[in-house]
Amino acid sequence: MPVLSRQRLTASIKKLAVACGASGDEAQIFADCHVHADLRGHQTQGLQIVNIVYEFLVNGTERFGVDTPVIIDKPGFAVIDGNYGVGCIVATRAMDHAIRKAGDSGIACVWVRRGGVFSMASNYTLRALEHDMVGIATENGIPFVAPWGGRDPLFSTNPFSFAVPSGEEIPIVIDMSAGSFSAGKVMAAKSAGEKMPSSHLVDGYGNYTDDPSLIEMQFDHQLNLGALVAHGTRGFGWNIFVEILAGLLSGMEASCNSIVEAEEGNITINHGQFFMAINIEQLMPVDVFKQKVDEFIRSVKANPPAKGFDTVRLPGENAAKTEQRYLKDGIPVLDKDWEDFLSICSTHGLTI
C-alpha cells in the first residue's frame, strides 16, 4: 500500500485536473477536496473518487471550466446552477456563498441544480467551522440504494454532514450516509473477494445478502443487479428527507429519476445539493457557544463505556485524529486506486 505525503498527492491530482482542462483555481479545489477525504480516512471519497470522476469528465457527465451562476438570490437563500460542473468545485462555491450570506442574514441556505457528485460531504461543513459557523451539507444522486424492505435501487447513498465548532475539544463533525454501506466500500470488498459485515445488500432476486459479488455497479447507470439497502427504517426515512431537501426543493429530481440518457449516449445526472450556514455570532457570543459545546462533549465522553468499548467517541473525533497522524506519517492509499490513477495519468503523458 503506497504511503504518500499530502504535498505529493495534492500535486499529482492537480496535474491530472489541469490536463483535463481545469484552471489553476479549479485544480487546487479538486485536489484539496479529495486529498482531505483521504487525510480524514474517508478512502472511498478520496483518490478512489478521483478515478471515477475522471470517467465522468471523459464522457461529459461533469466538466471543468463552466459558469455556475446564482439564478435566485434572496437575503436568506439562493439557488445556483451548477451547469454540470465538477461536483466538488460547484459545492465549494455554493458553501462559500452560504457562508457569505449568513454573515449578513445570520442563516443562509443554498441549493444547487445540476451540481455533480461532491465527494466527501464534510469538505463543505468544515469550511463553515473556519468562520465560526455551523455547517450543513447534503446531496442526492445516482441511485444505488433500495428502500428498506424493497429490492430495486431508488435512492443515492445521500451523504449528509453537520459540523459544529468547539473551543478546546475536537469539533463535532457528522459525515454519514443513509445507506448501510458506501458504494465505494462495497466495490472494494467485491474486488478483494470479501464479505460485508452484515446482510444489507439485496440481490436481483430480492434476497438480502452480505456477498458483494452478487451486486453489479455502474456509475453512469442504475445498478443492473441488486442494490445497497437503506440503513433500516431510520435510514429509509433519512433517504426520503434528503431526496426532498436536496433533490426536489432544488428544482431537480429524486435520485430514481435523476439520470437522463441522450440519444447519442451521453449521460446527465439531474440531482441536487443543499448547503446551510448558521452564523453563531448573531445568536450569542461565539465563545459562549463554544464553551457550551465543550461542556456537552465532555458530558458525553464522561459516560461509562459499555462492555467491549474503551470510550465514547463523538462524530469527527476519529477523523480529526487520523488527519493529524496522516499529516505526520503520510497518507496510505489502496494499491488498486493508486495503480488506476497512474494508468489514467499515463494516458495524458503525465509523470507522477
Side-chain angles (χ1 to χ4, degrees):
M1 180 180 292
V3 178
L4 309 172
S5 69
R6 179 183 188 176
Q7 292 76 14
R8 183 184 177 194
L9 188 55
T10 300
S12 300
I13 295 174
K14 282 179 66 177
K15 277 187 179 181
L16 178 61
V18 170
C20 293
S23 66
D25 180 59
E26 288 179 320
Q28 188 68 58
I29 294 171
F30 185 76
D32 286 345
C33 284
H34 293 100
V35 172
H36 201 192
D38 276 325
L39 269 174
R40 291 179 67 85
H42 292 262
Q43 285 185 314
T44 60
Q45 302 300 322
L47 186 65
Q48 184 181 115
I49 288 290
V50 171
N51 297 333
I52 293 169
V53 171
Y54 176 75
E55 297 300 321
F56 291 163
L57 292 168
V58 169
N59 64 29
T61 303
E62 296 187 15
R63 302 173 293 170
F64 285 118
V66 301
D67 292 329
T68 54
V70 179
I71 55 178
I72 300 175
D73 205 7
K74 302 293 183 181
F77 69 93
V79 178
I80 290 176
D81 183 0
N83 201 17
Y84 301 116
V86 173
C88 63
I89 294 169
V90 177
T92 297
R93 292 172 180 171
M95 190 73 219
D96 288 350
H97 192 58
I99 291 167
R100 286 192 297 271
K101 293 180 76 64
D104 296 327
S105 62
I107 186 169
C109 299
V110 174
W111 283 268
V112 172
R113 300 173 181 172
R114 306 190 301 168
V117 177
F118 71 17
S119 303
M120 184 177 75
S122 54
N123 271 320
Y124 316 107
T125 58
L126 287 166
R127 297 179 79 83
L129 294 194
E130 296 173 8
H131 299 269
D132 286 331
M133 296 186 185
V134 172
I136 297 174
T138 189
E139 71 169 353
N140 70 339
I142 299 169
F144 289 134
V145 179
W148 182 249
R151 186 182 72 181
D152 296 332
L154 294 180
F155 309 124
S156 178
T157 52
N158 289 358
F160 167 82
S161 181
F162 174 69
V164 182
S166 58
E168 298 175 355
E169 301 295 331
I170 294 173
I172 297 171
V173 182
I174 298 171
D175 191 328
M176 57 181 287
S177 72
S180 295
F181 313 113
S182 72
K185 287 185 178 179
V186 175
M187 292 171 61
K190 180 177 179 179
S191 178
E194 298 172 350
K195 298 293 181 68
M196 302 306 294
S198 63
S199 297
H200 280 181
L201 304 174
V202 58
D203 67 20
Y205 301 99
N207 301 305
Y208 277 37
T209 178
D210 63 356
D211 187 355
S213 70
L214 301 177
I215 308 299
E216 289 294 332
M217 290 189 176
Q218 296 179 356
F219 277 85
D220 55 356
H221 294 77
Q222 294 188 21
L223 298 182
N224 53 29
L225 174 62
L228 288 67
V229 179
H231 197 174
T233 55
R234 290 176 176 83
F236 183 17
W238 183 253
N239 258 317
I240 292 171
F241 174 73
V242 173
E243 293 290 351
I244 303 299
L245 180 64
L248 302 189
L249 278 173
S250 71
M252 289 286 94
E253 302 293 339
S255 296
C256 57
N257 298 319
S258 67
I259 297 179
V260 178
E261 185 169 358
E263 291 182 4
E264 60 271 23
N266 292 331
I267 299 295
T268 58
I269 305 173
N270 293 313
H271 68 274
Q273 303 172 351
F274 172 81
F275 305 90
M276 178 185 286
I278 302 172
N279 187 349
I280 297 164
E281 189 175 35
Q282 295 202 27
L283 293 170
M284 68 186 74
V286 172
D287 290 344
V288 171
F289 178 79
K290 288 184 175 181
Q291 182 179 353
K292 289 178 178 290
V293 173
D294 281 350
E295 291 170 354
F296 171 69
I297 292 171
R298 290 165 188 155
S299 295
V300 173
K301 292 186 69 63
N303 195 282
K307 189 175 181 178
F309 295 85
D310 58 354
T311 186
V312 175
R313 292 183 174 87
L314 276 87
E317 183 177 345
N318 284 347
K321 291 178 178 177
T322 298
E323 181 171 357
Q324 292 306 308
R325 186 170 71 252
Y326 286 176
L327 284 171
K328 177 177 177 290
D329 300 332
I331 305 169
V333 296
L334 297 176
D335 290 330
K336 185 178 186 306
D337 292 342
W338 185 240
E339 290 166 5
D340 289 347
F341 177 74
L342 292 178
S343 177
I344 290 170
C345 290
S346 70
T347 65
H348 292 274
L350 300 175
T351 303
I352 301 299

